[in-house]
Amino acid sequence: MLKLIIFDMDGLMFATEQVNCRAFMEVVKEEGYHPTFEQFTSFLGMNARDIQKKYYDYYGEDTDAEGIYKKVGSRAKQIIKEEGVPEKNGLRELLNAVKEKKLHTAVASGSDTSVIKEYLEKTGLTEYFDMVLSSKDVKRGKPYPDIFLEICQKFDVKPEETLVLEDSSNGVHAALAGNLPVINIPDLLPIPEEQQEKCVAVVSDLVQVIPLLDLKK
């Protein structure tokens, strides 16, 4: 029986990956490097530590990875402040359907806990979630399953009684590694075909998740 739904945030609930990509391109260029879309998409689903390791790989060991990471974050926050938090299509419809079914809900994101809570408050969606957890608060971020398993433990719910919603390959990999059923809703990139085959479903938007909630009774 389905008891718990875990939502990723960036790229899943909110179209913030486009904002983050824009900020990344601007800041890294200003730092004198040559950012690419492929570099940015390799970060998807990762936590801060792992993203900064990638900066060293791409731009050299002398790179101020922490400084660049913070500047990218500040620029993204500025864009959100000026333009608002962009919601993904069907988010509110799905959240209302989940609420009607009285399922536990959690957000599992690579963003800081403060950012998760800020976005939920800005969009008026705080009441829909029983818990928020950042990858920074567990030992290993996605693609490891630690964050999902920690949430399951806190709710005393088995992985097989849980449904994870993820947009990125790293996030889907993390769910599969923890034996958690996962639905993929792609954002910037499709996930690999071999991952798609292991998902409960791959759908184009959050509205299409609603009928799938009844598959796990």
Side-chain angles (χ1 to χ4, degrees):
M1 178 181 288
L2 180 61
K3 296 181 179 180
L4 166 64
I5 296 191
I6 302 177
F7 290 72
D8 177 47
M9 187 178 77
D10 295 298
L12 189 286
M13 293 170 55
F14 306 123
T16 42
E17 293 296 14
Q18 287 91 332
V19 173
N20 293 335
C21 184
R22 181 172 144 195
F24 167 76
M25 293 292 187
E26 290 178 6
V27 170
V28 175
K29 282 180 182 177
E30 289 171 0
E31 293 291 319
Y33 300 108
H34 301 285
T36 66
F37 178 72
E38 289 73 23
Q39 289 171 357
F40 176 78
T41 55
S42 73
F43 306 150
L44 297 179
M46 287 186 173
N47 62 21
R49 294 186 299 270
D50 293 333
I51 290 173
Q52 289 173 45
K53 288 178 184 176
K54 285 280 190 181
Y55 284 167
Y56 291 125
D57 293 338
Y58 293 142
Y59 312 125
E61 292 297 325
D62 294 333
T63 303
D64 180 11
E66 183 178 0
I68 293 175
Y69 180 83
K70 288 180 178 178
K71 287 180 182 179
V72 171
S74 295
R75 177 59 183 137
K77 286 181 181 179
Q78 182 183 6
I79 295 170
I80 293 291
K81 183 177 181 180
E82 294 171 354
E83 302 177 11
V85 182
E87 292 181 28
K88 296 299 289 284
N89 182 53
L91 176 61
R92 290 179 186 267
E93 292 93 329
L94 174 58
L95 287 173
N96 283 321
V98 170
K99 190 174 183 179
E100 287 178 8
K101 294 180 182 297
K102 296 181 170 57
L103 300 170
H104 294 302
T105 52
V107 177
S109 173
S111 292
D112 289 337
T113 302
S114 61
V115 174
I116 301 170
K117 291 181 177 179
E118 178 187 347
Y119 287 3
L120 293 179
E121 288 171 4
K122 282 181 179 291
T123 53
L125 298 177
T126 303
E127 64 177 294
Y128 286 96
F129 293 97
D130 303 314
M131 180 189 301
V132 300
L133 188 65
S134 169
S135 294
K136 296 175 185 178
D137 297 322
V138 295
K139 185 176 181 180
R140 303 175 300 178
K142 305 171 190 177
Y144 296 97
D146 300 28
I147 189 169
F148 298 137
L149 297 178
E150 177 75 11
I151 291 171
C152 288
Q153 185 176 12
K154 287 182 181 297
F155 281 108
D156 194 23
V157 169
K158 298 175 183 177
E160 60 266 28
E161 297 172 328
T162 304
L163 180 62
V164 175
L165 305 181
E166 273 285 356
D167 66 289
S168 72
S169 177
N170 276 333
V172 169
H173 184 95
L176 295 173
N179 295 314
L180 293 110
V182 57
I183 294 177
N184 174 234
I185 306 93
D187 182 36
L188 295 180
L189 288 175
I191 63 172
E193 188 173 336
E194 58 268 24
Q195 281 190 332
Q196 295 181 32
E197 294 171 354
K198 296 176 182 177
C199 292
V200 173
V202 178
V203 298
S204 60
D205 65 25
L206 295 171
V207 172
Q208 296 180 29
V209 175
I210 296 173
L212 299 176
L213 298 178
D214 293 323
L215 295 179
K216 292 191 66 182
K217 290 184 177 179

